[in-house]
Short mmCIF file of all heavy atoms in Angstrom, two decimals:
data_model
loop_
_atom_site.label_atom_id
_atom_site.label_comp_id
_atom_site.label_asym_id
_atom_site.label_seq_id
_atom_site.Cartn_x
_atom_site.Cartn_y
_atom_site.Cartn_z
N ARG A 613 -30.36 -6.83 7.17
CA ARG A 613 -29.23 -7.61 7.62
C ARG A 613 -28.36 -6.89 8.63
O ARG A 613 -28.43 -5.71 8.71
CB ARG A 613 -28.31 -7.93 6.42
CG ARG A 613 -27.77 -6.83 5.69
CD ARG A 613 -27.10 -7.28 4.42
NE ARG A 613 -26.43 -6.14 3.63
CZ ARG A 613 -25.99 -6.23 2.42
NH1 ARG A 613 -25.99 -7.33 1.76
NH2 ARG A 613 -25.46 -5.11 1.79
N ASN A 687 17.01 15.40 8.73
CA ASN A 687 18.39 15.16 8.44
C ASN A 687 19.01 14.16 9.43
O ASN A 687 20.29 13.91 9.32
CB ASN A 687 19.15 16.49 8.41
CG ASN A 687 20.42 16.43 7.55
OD1 ASN A 687 20.40 15.76 6.47
ND2 ASN A 687 21.44 17.10 7.95
N LYS A 940 1.90 15.94 1.50
CA LYS A 940 2.54 14.72 0.80
C LYS A 940 1.87 13.43 1.22
O LYS A 940 2.58 12.47 1.58
CB LYS A 940 4.05 14.69 1.00
CG LYS A 940 4.72 15.91 0.54
CD LYS A 940 6.26 15.77 0.73
CE LYS A 940 6.96 17.03 0.24
NZ LYS A 940 8.46 16.91 0.50
#
Side-chain angles (χ1 to χ4, degrees):
R613 60 190 180 190
N687 204 36
K940 301 180 180 180

